[in-house]
Amino acid sequence: MHALRLGLRPHAAVGDFDSVSSVVLARCRRQWPDVIIRRHPADKAQSDLDLALSFAWGLDPMSIAIVSGGGGRLDHLLSGISMLGRPRYAALPITAYVGDSVVRTATVGMELPLDVTDGNLLTLLAIGGSARLLTTGLRWNLTPTVSLRSAATLGLSNELTGPTAGLVICAGSILAIQTHGDSLG
């Protein structure tokens, strides 16, 4: 319930709630009786995030925000972040706030504006195969002639050179991860 710690009002809560006390869940139900709660059994074949994204997808949203502390199990973190790159999810404007980072997804044909307020450092990861991008406003811009391969380090540790940058996805799907940090120069 990271959203509550941040003072955010949820519209829906989905999962098995194994990490939420019954007291907190009851308080949420009292405070926001109109919040949709979809409780699933702890023994299930999907992660809570997968269930939540499937639920949100069914609402035909304009965008989705995910809030996570980023702590806990590495396997859950990696699975959740990579799940955002699935073709059906990458086509949505999804923004995930994970610890100190902001993660966005984009797929072929999409433009993705970036703002330095979300972080001056940028890592671009191809997901589900190779990707080709046209980037502007970065220390090391990419052109569509260069292929960003899945699990490659080419897109690691770039930097926004001004207040904004832009990505055009020419092929594939990517994760754009922004973090605040010291200038690379």
Side-chain angles (χ1 to χ4, degrees):
M1 301 300 292
H2 301 291
L4 297 178
R5 285 189 210 106
L6 294 172
L8 301 174
R9 183 201 181 284
H11 297 281
V14 179
D16 59 25
F17 302 105
D18 64 346
S19 60
V20 179
S21 76
S22 57
V23 172
V24 170
L25 197 53
R27 187 185 81 192
C28 290
R29 285 183 170 149
R30 273 193 318 277
Q31 189 171 351
W32 302 300
D34 60 328
V35 170
I36 299 165
I37 296 180
R38 295 285 188 265
R39 190 172 204 147
H40 294 268
D43 293 334
K44 58 193 184 308
Q46 294 174 285
S47 71
D48 287 346
L49 179 58
D50 201 3
L51 293 167
L53 284 173
S54 291
F55 175 82
W57 177 264
L59 299 175
D60 194 27
M62 302 236 353
S63 65
I64 295 174
I66 298 168
V67 180
S68 169
R73 292 176 44 185
L74 179 60
D75 56 341
H76 282 246
L77 179 62
L78 290 173
S79 174
I81 295 298
S82 62
M83 183 187 323
L84 301 180
R86 285 184 189 162
R88 95 184 228 183
Y89 298 142
L92 284 174
I94 294 178
T95 304
Y97 301 91
V98 182
D100 294 333
S101 297
V102 177
V103 181
R104 290 187 177 79
T105 61
T107 194
V108 64
M110 292 177 69
E111 294 184 26
L112 188 62
L114 303 173
D115 192 288
V116 75
T117 57
D118 289 330
N120 62 312
L121 302 180
L122 174 68
T123 290
L124 299 171
L125 300 174
I127 192 148
S130 294
R132 288 184 292 112
L133 316 170
L134 174 63
T135 66
T136 56
L138 301 178
R139 185 169 179 189
W140 297 285
N141 283 303
L142 297 174
T143 64
T145 59
V146 175
S147 185
L148 183 63
R149 293 186 329 266
S150 185
T153 58
L154 175 64
L156 188 65
S157 293
N158 208 329
E159 185 174 359
L160 277 72
T161 58
T164 61
L167 310 175
V168 176
I169 316 307
C170 302
S173 296
I174 59 105
L175 296 173
I177 304 168
Q178 286 181 262
T179 306
H180 291 281
D182 293 330
S183 174
L184 301 172

